[in-house]
Amino acid sequence: MKQISKSFLTFLLTTFLIQTSFSQSETSKKDQRYIFFLHNKFIEENPLDVAHPEYGKAEYNEILASLRKDGFIVYSEIRKKNTNAYDYAEKITKQIKKLVKQGIAPNKITVIGTSKGGYIAQYVSTFVANPDMNFVFIGCFRDVDIKEIPDINFCGNILTIYEKSDIYGVSAIKRKETSKLKVNHFKEIELNTNLKHGFLYKALDEWIVPSKKWANGNYELK
């Protein structure tokens, strides 16, 4: 039996490493999860170093850093002043559909929105109309919305988070009950930080941790 040359052994080893690396890369891509984070209106209207007179500075960069440290690919940008929520939701919807077309599973995509960003996220839920996608709506529902914004229909895996002391966000169960699209999972969290609407200005674990769990497909939030 002829002795195998060192060069041939090197070739075999190199081929194995390349195939293994490619396989791991494909597995990693398959498991990768994506978050679209949509901020509140105050960030639209003010530089990040400007503090709200009651709620303080909006910790936008800190929120993004917290989401990214857990391995999520996070898409976010500071919107232009007076951005139209409906139009911006259409823009995000196109980006999401592009990801899905590239092979990203809808249940690996989560849209998280706070305050005005949460209303944009609700429109995205309506436009994408995919029951497998994940959404987290934070401090962005009032009972009057049913009449004032009748064109929103929840669709997907929906988590809503609101603060008991916040007049701008209450339970959204009414929206869920009146929505005409499919909701696979629905859960609500009422916080008691006593920070009013300012709770969503901060990178608080109280809302960020459950948002991450939801984005990871942990719909029981355990």
Side-chain angles (χ1 to χ4, degrees):
M1 185 175 181
K2 294 183 178 180
Q3 186 177 6
I4 300 175
S5 68
K6 289 184 178 180
S7 59
F8 184 64
L9 284 174
T10 301
F11 168 76
L12 288 176
L13 180 59
T14 302
T15 302
F16 172 76
L17 290 174
I18 291 174
Q19 290 176 338
T20 301
S21 176
F22 179 76
S23 177
Q24 290 174 339
S25 176
E26 286 298 299
T27 301
S28 176
K29 183 179 178 181
K30 184 180 178 181
D31 294 336
Q32 180 64 58
R33 291 180 180 268
Y34 302 79
I35 287 177
F36 287 79
F37 178 73
L38 307 172
H39 60 74
N40 65 345
K41 186 177 181 180
F42 185 78
I43 294 175
E44 238 183 63
E45 300 178 335
N46 300 274
L48 290 177
D49 59 351
V50 172
H52 186 280
E54 183 178 0
Y55 307 137
K57 291 182 180 180
E59 297 177 352
Y60 174 70
N61 289 323
E62 291 84 349
I63 291 168
L64 296 186
S66 180
L67 295 172
R68 285 175 175 143
K69 76 177 183 180
D70 280 28
F72 296 102
I73 291 178
V74 180
Y75 298 99
S76 189
E77 65 177 357
I78 295 179
R79 300 184 300 272
K80 293 180 180 179
K81 190 174 182 180
N82 298 321
T83 292
N84 181 278
Y86 189 99
D87 293 343
Y88 197 82
E90 288 187 323
K91 171 185 173 180
I92 299 299
T93 297
K94 289 178 182 178
Q95 293 174 353
I96 289 170
K97 287 184 176 180
K98 185 176 180 180
L99 277 181
V100 173
K101 192 173 182 180
Q102 291 172 355
I104 306 302
N107 66 350
K108 296 292 194 297
I109 303 171
T110 301
V111 181
I112 301 174
T114 61
S115 196
K116 180 178 179 177
Y119 281 101
I120 295 173
Q122 290 175 56
Y123 273 121
V124 174
S125 172
T126 305
F127 296 161
V128 175
N130 190 313
D132 295 325
M133 264 189 63
N134 306 315
F135 294 88
V136 185
F137 307 138
I138 302 168
C140 59
F141 178 80
R142 300 174 301 158
D143 290 334
V144 295
D145 291 349
I146 299 297
K147 289 185 177 180
E148 293 185 357
I149 318 175
D151 51 344
I152 286 178
N153 287 281
F154 285 175
C155 186
N157 303 308
I158 309 295
L159 170 64
T160 78
I161 303 175
Y162 60 97
E163 159 62 35
K164 188 175 182 180
S165 61
D166 180 15
I167 64 172
Y168 300 109
V170 300
S171 167
I173 189 67
K174 290 182 180 179
R175 179 67 85 185
K176 188 256 186 182
E177 291 173 346
T178 59
S179 292
K180 301 176 179 66
L181 300 174
K182 186 177 181 181
V183 175
N184 279 340
H185 296 91
F186 183 83
K187 203 171 188 70
E188 294 196 304
I189 298 175
E190 181 184 79
L191 301 181
N192 289 276
T193 66
N194 205 35
L195 293 174
K196 300 180 181 178
H197 203 56
F199 84 98
L200 54 80
Y201 282 57
K202 307 300 179 185
L204 297 179
D205 284 345
E206 284 87 341
W207 67 264
I208 291 181
V209 169
S211 295
K212 290 178 182 178
K213 288 181 178 180
W214 201 258
N216 275 318
N218 180 357
Y219 304 124
E220 297 301 320
L221 300 180
K222 294 180 179 178

